């Protein structure tokens, strides 16, 4: 070892990376890296590569961004600068990090007393239905249709009563309207809307039952035959569906129930005309009284008494006499059951104006037929 610098061999004096190279002609002399201000306007050439020699001053990121700042490697200590040729690339002085997610804002209360619900999240929407919330709070999930649907039910009942006094062919007109509203209302009550195929199938079954009754001389066997055929048809159509098994079963039950209610409403056409007049008038009065703002037990008792009185009055006009009171009370019981079904599980306004109108009259049809055959 000597103190002399390494001279190389064959005339090669060695390479000193820290020795300043002479500048090419036409270019001013480069300054050392120790003076960054002097190196700003110029570039340095190295093996045909050109890069910016301006060194960015280190920038301290905000305190809230340091927790999310990724590692910049060895060049991070020099403000994100890494010298080319040493396995690194030039990185920006600091990385932009996304702002922290804001919590979902609460929607304004709908009724002014309870907070609303926020939007759905990736973990699932925690919102529950009004019926589930009512059950958890110990309240009843029942909302009765109200006065306006009751008025429509009474109007349709009076149309049935008046048409039955005219004749069976006149009775078909309000009966078809009742069957159409029954089919649509049941599907909407079950939360299946739009369900055009199911509604059309149930309504077609009701029309078939009406035609079969008129063709057979209003024999009740036509109702049972149509009902059996339509249950089988609904089963076949649901088996051809490509939906999930649970959805197919739910659709099958809704279709069968809707078709059954619409077909059973044809019982008005199979009943005696006087019985239809008494029963429909009694249902109209019972639903109107039930809509009055009274406690539920008192409202039910008052509606049954009013229906019996209306039945007795209609019986006196048609020839049934006092037996009309019994027929009216029986029809009112079935009508109140249908009214209760249409009130279940916080139904919408559309449900009230379809199922709430039609179900009381459709449910009373079997009672009108059976009591009419027994009393007339």
């Amino acid at each position: 070892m000597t103190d002399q610098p390494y001279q190389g061999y064959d005339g090669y004096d060695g390479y000193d990376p820290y020795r300043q190279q002479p500048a090419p002609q036409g270019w001013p002399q480069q300054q050392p890296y120790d003076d960054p201000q002097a190196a700003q306007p110029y570039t340095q050439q190295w093996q045909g590569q050109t890069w910016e020699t301006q060194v960015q001053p280190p920038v301290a990121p905000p305190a809230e961004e340091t927790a999310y700042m990724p590692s910049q490697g060895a060049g991070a200590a020099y403000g994100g600068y890494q010298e080319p040729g040493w396995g690194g690339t030039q990185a920006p002085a600091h990385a932009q990090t996304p702002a922290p997610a804001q919590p979902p804002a609460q929607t304004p209360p709908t009724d002014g007393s309870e907070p609303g619900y926020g939007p759905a999240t990736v973990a699932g929407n925690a919102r529950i239905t009004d019926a589930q919330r009512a059950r958890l709070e110990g309240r009843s999930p029942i909302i009765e249709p109200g006065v306006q649907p009751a008025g429509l039910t009474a109007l349709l009942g009076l149309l049935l009563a008046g048409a039955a006094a005219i004749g069976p062919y006149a009775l078909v007109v309000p009966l078809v309207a009742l069957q159409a509203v029954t089919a649509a209302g049941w599907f909407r009550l079950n939360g299946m809307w739009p369900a055009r195929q199911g509604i059309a199938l149930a309504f077609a079954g009701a029309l078939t039952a009406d035609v079969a009754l008129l063709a057979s001389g209003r024999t009740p066997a036509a109702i049972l035959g149509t009902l059996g055929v339509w249950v089988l048809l609904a089963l076949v159509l649901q088996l051809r569906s490509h939906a999930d098994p649970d959805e197919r079963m739910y659709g099958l039950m809704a279709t069968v129930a809707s078709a059954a209610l619409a077909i059973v409403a044809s019982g008005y056409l199979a009943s005696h005309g006087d019985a239809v007049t008494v029963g429909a008038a009694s249902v109209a009065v019972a639903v109107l009284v039930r809509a009055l703002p009274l406690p539920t037990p008192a409202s039910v008792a008052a509606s049954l008494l009013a229906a019996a009185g209306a039945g007795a009055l209609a019986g006196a006009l048609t020839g049934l006499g006092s037996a009309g009171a019994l027929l009216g009370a029986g029809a009112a019981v079935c009508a109140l059951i249908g009214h209760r079904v249409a009130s279940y599980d916080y139904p919408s306004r559309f449900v009230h104006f379809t199922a709430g109108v039609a179900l009381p009259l459709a449910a009373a049809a079997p009672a009108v037929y059976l009591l009419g055959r027994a009393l007339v």
Side-chain angles (χ1 to χ4, degrees), residues 300-312:
V300 171
S303 62
L304 291 177
L305 292 175

Side-chain angles (χ1 to χ4, degrees), residues 123-152:
N125 193 351
R127 177 171 181 173
I128 60 176
T129 63
D130 292 334
Q132 293 172 342
R133 184 178 182 182
R135 293 190 187 97
L136 292 176
E137 294 176 357
R139 296 185 286 109
S140 175
I142 299 295
I143 293 182
E144 297 176 357
V147 178
Q148 293 180 351
L152 294 177

Side-chain angles (χ1 to χ4, degrees), residues 30-33 35-45 49-56 81 83-84 90:
Q30 295 285 340
Q31 296 296 330
Y33 277 95
D35 188 3
Q37 298 296 330
Q40 288 183 1
Y42 311 108
T43 58
Q44 183 178 4
Q45 187 172 0
Q49 303 288 337
T50 304
W51 69 90
E52 183 69 30
T53 59
Q54 180 180 357
V55 179
Q56 300 289 339
Y81 175 81
E83 188 172 353
Q90 184 174 357

Side-chain angles (χ1 to χ4, degrees), residues 293-317:
L294 297 174
T296 300
S299 178
V300 171
S303 62
L304 291 177
L305 292 175
L313 180 60
L317 296 176

Side-chain angles (χ1 to χ4, degrees), residues 25-311:
Q25 293 182 359
W27 290 87
Q29 180 70 25
Q30 295 285 340
Q31 296 296 330
Y33 277 95
D34 295 338
D35 188 3
Q37 298 296 330
Q40 288 183 1
Y42 311 108
T43 58
Q44 183 178 4
Q45 187 172 0
W46 177 265
Q47 295 181 356
Q49 303 288 337
T50 304
W51 69 90
E52 183 69 30
T53 59
Q54 180 180 357
V55 179
Q56 300 289 339
V59 179
E64 62 270 14
E65 295 183 359
T66 56
Y68 305 96
M69 180 75 71
S71 177
Q72 299 293 336
Y78 299 98
Y81 175 81
Q82 288 186 347
E83 188 172 353
W86 297 91
T89 58
Q90 184 174 357
H94 64 277
Q96 295 291 336
T97 58
Q102 298 293 332
Q106 294 289 334
T107 58
T110 56
D111 55 354
S113 59
E114 298 178 355
Y117 297 93
T121 61
V122 294
N125 193 351
R127 177 171 181 173
I128 60 176
T129 63
D130 292 334
Q132 293 172 342
R133 184 178 182 182
R135 293 190 187 97
L136 292 176
E137 294 176 357
R139 296 185 286 109
S140 175
I142 299 295
I143 293 182
E144 297 176 357
V147 178
Q148 293 180 351
L152 294 177
T153 303
L155 177 61
L156 188 55
L158 293 178
L159 289 176
L160 288 172
I166 297 174
Y169 290 96
L171 181 60
V172 171
V173 177
L175 179 60
V176 169
L178 172 63
Q179 290 168 334
V181 178
T182 301
W186 184 260
F187 274 95
R188 189 61 185 91
L189 182 62
N190 286 269
M192 303 176 66
W193 184 266
R196 290 181 288 270
Q197 293 181 355
I199 294 172
L201 182 63
F203 184 59
L207 294 180
T208 303
D210 296 340
V211 173
L213 281 170
L214 293 176
S216 62
R218 298 196 295 174
T219 304
I223 299 177
L224 298 178
T226 305
L227 185 59
V229 171
W230 246 250
V231 169
L232 181 61
L233 182 60
L235 179 60
V236 172
L237 291 178
Q238 288 298 325
L239 289 177
R240 292 173 56 88
S241 175
H242 298 286
D244 296 334
D246 293 340
E247 294 181 1
R248 283 188 293 177
M249 180 60 65
Y250 189 59
L252 175 63
M253 298 305 297
T255 304
V256 170
S258 178
L261 287 171
I263 293 172
V264 165
S266 299
Y268 287 112
L269 193 59
S271 304
H272 193 275
D274 293 341
V276 174
T277 300
V278 173
S282 301
V283 170
V285 174
V287 173
L288 282 177
V289 176
R290 184 66 179 86
L292 296 178
L294 297 174
T296 300
S299 178
V300 171
S303 62
L304 291 177
L305 292 175

